[in-house]
Amino acid sequence: MIPVSKATHETPFFEGIRVMTPDAPTLTGVVRAILPRALRLLESWVRVNSFTANPEGVNRLAQLTCDAFAPLGFHAERIPSSNPGWGDHLVMSRAGTSKKSLLLVSHLDTVYPPEEEIRNDFHWQREGNRLFGPGTIDIKGGSVVMWMTLQALKELRPDVFCSTTWKLLWNSSEENLPKDFAGICRSRIDSGTLAALVFEAEGRMGSRSLLVTRRKGRLRWKIKVQGRGAHAGNQHPQGANAIAQVSRLVDQITELTDASRGLTFNVGLVSGGTAVNRVPHEAVAEGEFRAFDTQTYRQARLALLALAGTGGVRSEADDFPCKVDVEILHETGPWMESSDTDRLFGIWNSTATELGIELGSETRGGLSDGNYLWDALPTLDGLGPWGANAHSSERSADGTKMPEYAELDSFVPKAMLNTLAILKLLNQ
């Protein structure tokens, strides 16, 4: 049991919380002292464009990350992505004296191409409590909270820090959820691995911080329609209009959405034809569906695949039908409710109560690397800071539209919560 001295509402950042003995440095004091260095790290990382398709930038950020964690005794391994157009995955490890180990997970890439950052004048900028810039909340801010947590553990409990084997993993291309990173993570799991901790941003409901204990799964698909071309004026009856067929399919797919079951279908891309004076002979639609549970996911998959075959659009002349092909491009299964994750959340929740932090859990429609880990070991997500507008770089003149930002005052409490909860987890 970690002794905790309750803080008063008059004391900022829970001043007075102690670990070890009463004469030990306060956790609050240590984490607050770390914060200026953490902000310098965050600024240097945010200033590097790490768009997924910019491997040079992703690899440069990986090197800066190595430089930050090396003084804590971590050794780096760079693993080339299976996609040559993406940067290297990064694994940093530190061997401990006990069999206990933890996986800490983040990612390097962001969604902003360099030209978008320039066009929208989107860069590191501090405005009061808000830290603007690419990745401040998704997920460079999370990597900084990871660093703060480990730095605090080393300073406050060097015995625990040194006895634990730490495995830190950064996905170079999380925004595309590559399958190879899942294999890298799972290969690091052994019998002593207690949990996977994912440093995506926390959620909020009023003043309550929310950690992630469940996420939707996603299936990306492509539908190709082969019709028959014909002159749009002279031989129109000979044609089988592939775009008309795709239009019918778009309606059918959209109607598969079932909000009561958390199932969402989205048609994101449609293309077809070559000229307006030709009955189009081909058309393509691409999209995704998402679902929270395996049964709904499987049923949606079957419904999608059932659209393949002979289409309903035919030529007037000889009843020639359009042909429909359904291709599955990528699948990531749902992160479902888990008693192991619930128990892990319970540790963070009880710790939050001791710190005077309101904490809850949430399910998210977006995906993370946690989708690949939850069924292998207890997994908790949302361990990064709070902010808003991830994946947005635009700012309107009237202030109604703001780019991505992290809130400065969320870093210290979150690092404190993670530090004490990890100590509890390792003490079990």
Side-chain angles (χ1 to χ4, degrees), residues 306-318:
L307 298 174
T310 302
V313 174
R314 298 169 177 265
S315 69
E316 296 178 19
D318 59 2

Side-chain angles (χ1 to χ4, degrees), residues 20-344:
M20 298 176 64
T21 61
D23 59 345
T26 66
L27 173 60
T28 307
V30 168
V31 177
R32 290 181 66 183
I34 289 169
L35 183 61
R37 283 183 286 163
L39 293 180
R40 288 194 293 272
L41 277 181
L42 182 57
E43 179 179 357
S44 68
W45 292 351
V46 169
R47 290 189 183 279
V48 176
N49 178 276
S50 57
F51 177 48
T52 310
N54 176 17
E56 293 81 8
V58 170
N59 288 340
R60 182 182 171 203
L61 177 60
Q63 186 56 57
L64 292 176
T65 304
C66 291
D67 295 341
F69 284 83
L72 291 169
F74 284 89
H75 303 282
E77 179 184 2
R78 305 277 282 270
I79 303 174
S81 170
S82 59
N83 185 328
W86 295 340
D88 297 338
H89 303 300
L90 174 63
V91 178
M92 299 197 75
S93 56
R94 189 185 193 282
T97 56
S98 75
K99 294 182 179 180
K100 293 182 179 180
S101 68
L102 288 172
L103 261 62
L104 279 59
V105 183
S106 186
H107 62 87
L108 299 167
D109 62 324
T110 59
V111 299
Y112 310 103
E115 56 271 17
E116 179 181 345
E117 293 182 9
I118 295 170
R119 181 176 66 251
N120 293 330
D121 194 27
F122 183 44
H123 52 81
W124 170 264
Q125 187 174 2
R126 179 174 173 180
E127 297 179 11
N129 189 49
R130 291 180 174 178
L131 307 172
F132 290 93
T136 46
I137 196 66
D138 186 18
I139 188 177
K140 296 172 184 179
S143 294
V144 163
V145 171
M146 182 196 297
W147 177 85
M148 293 175 70
T149 300
L150 292 170
Q151 186 72 42
L153 282 166
K154 183 181 180 182
E155 293 185 26
L156 288 162
R157 291 296 303 269
D159 56 329
V160 176
F161 179 79
C162 292
S163 67
T164 306
T165 293
W166 303 96
K167 304 171 185 181
L168 318 182
L169 301 104
W170 282 267
N171 191 340
S172 69
S173 41
E174 188 271 349
E175 299 297 350
N176 290 275
L177 286 176
K179 291 184 177 180
D180 62 334
F181 186 72
I184 292 169
C185 290
R186 294 175 80 99
S187 71
R188 264 63 181 182
I189 299 171
D190 56 34
S191 60
T193 307
L194 302 179
L197 307 177
V198 184
F199 283 77
E200 295 282 354
E202 70 174 39
R204 283 284 173 93
M205 180 178 291
S207 62
R208 185 185 296 269
S209 297
L210 302 176
L211 304 186
V212 183
T213 57
R214 191 179 173 204
R215 287 181 180 267
K216 279 186 174 182
R218 179 182 69 172
L219 184 147
R220 287 183 56 203
W221 51 263
K222 177 187 286 187
I223 288 180
K224 297 179 181 178
V225 173
Q226 189 68 40
R228 184 163 71 186
H231 192 286
N234 295 331
Q235 295 180 315
H236 189 276
Q238 301 292 328
N241 193 313
I243 291 179
Q245 180 65 67
V246 159
S247 297
R248 294 189 185 184
L249 291 168
V250 167
D251 287 340
Q252 289 178 262
I253 291 168
T254 301
E255 290 173 0
L256 291 173
T257 292
D258 186 347
S260 67
R261 303 173 68 196
L263 174 63
T264 54
F265 271 83
N266 184 58
V267 181
L269 298 170
V270 177
S271 61
T274 56
V276 296
N277 62 351
R278 182 186 186 189
V279 176
H281 66 289
E282 60 184 6
V284 177
E286 292 187 49
E288 63 165 38
F289 75 72
R290 302 190 186 211
F292 277 122
D293 65 271
T294 301
Q295 182 179 1
T296 301
Y297 183 96
R298 288 173 178 168
Q299 290 172 350
R301 192 180 193 276
L302 290 173
L304 180 69
L305 292 173
L307 298 174
T310 302
V313 174
R314 298 169 177 265
S315 69
E316 296 178 19
D318 59 2
D319 211 34
F320 178 89
C322 288
K323 305 293 185 183
V324 179
D325 176 67
V326 179
E327 179 184 0
I328 294 173
L329 301 176
H330 189 272
E331 291 189 79
T332 304
W335 172 357
M336 297 180 62
E337 186 175 358
S338 162
S339 58
D340 288 339
T341 290
D342 289 344
R343 283 192 292 271
L344 188 59

